[in-house]
């Protein structure tokens, strides 16, 4: 999907709630946010998530960190 979009992977943010989704997105080079409301935070980090959030309200803070950092 990233290749078809015409942007570079490092310019994208993927939000995934599954281990394999996080793994695929991070392998592709996207900034990857794991989304979990359970105890799978560590598993999503192990898969390559840059950050794991439990509420979409946290997403703007992550985007701001990417833009300013």
């Amino acid at each position: 999907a990233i290749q078809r979009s015409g942007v570079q992977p490092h310019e994208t943010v993927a939000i995934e709630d599954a281990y394999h989704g996080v793994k695929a997105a991070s392998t592709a080079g996207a900034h990857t946010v794991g989304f979990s409301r359970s105890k799978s935070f560590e598993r999503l980090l192990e898969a390559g998530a840059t950050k794991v959030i439990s509420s979409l309200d946290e997403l703007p803070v992550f985007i701001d960190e990417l833009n300013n950092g």
Side-chain angles (χ1 to χ4, degrees), residues 6-61:
V7 298
Q8 296 298 313
H10 69 273
E11 298 173 318
T12 63
V13 174
I15 303 166
E16 293 286 345
D17 65 350
Y19 177 90
H20 293 290
V22 169
K23 188 78 168 169
S26 65
T27 298
H31 297 281
T32 307
V33 177
F35 181 78
S36 177
R37 292 189 177 178
S38 67
K39 295 183 179 182
S40 63
F41 273 63
E42 289 297 321
R43 186 143 165 79
L44 296 177
L45 289 171
E46 289 170 8
T50 306
K51 183 176 185 95
V52 179
I53 60 175
S54 61
S55 168
L56 291 178
D57 292 337
E58 298 173 64
L59 192 56
V61 174

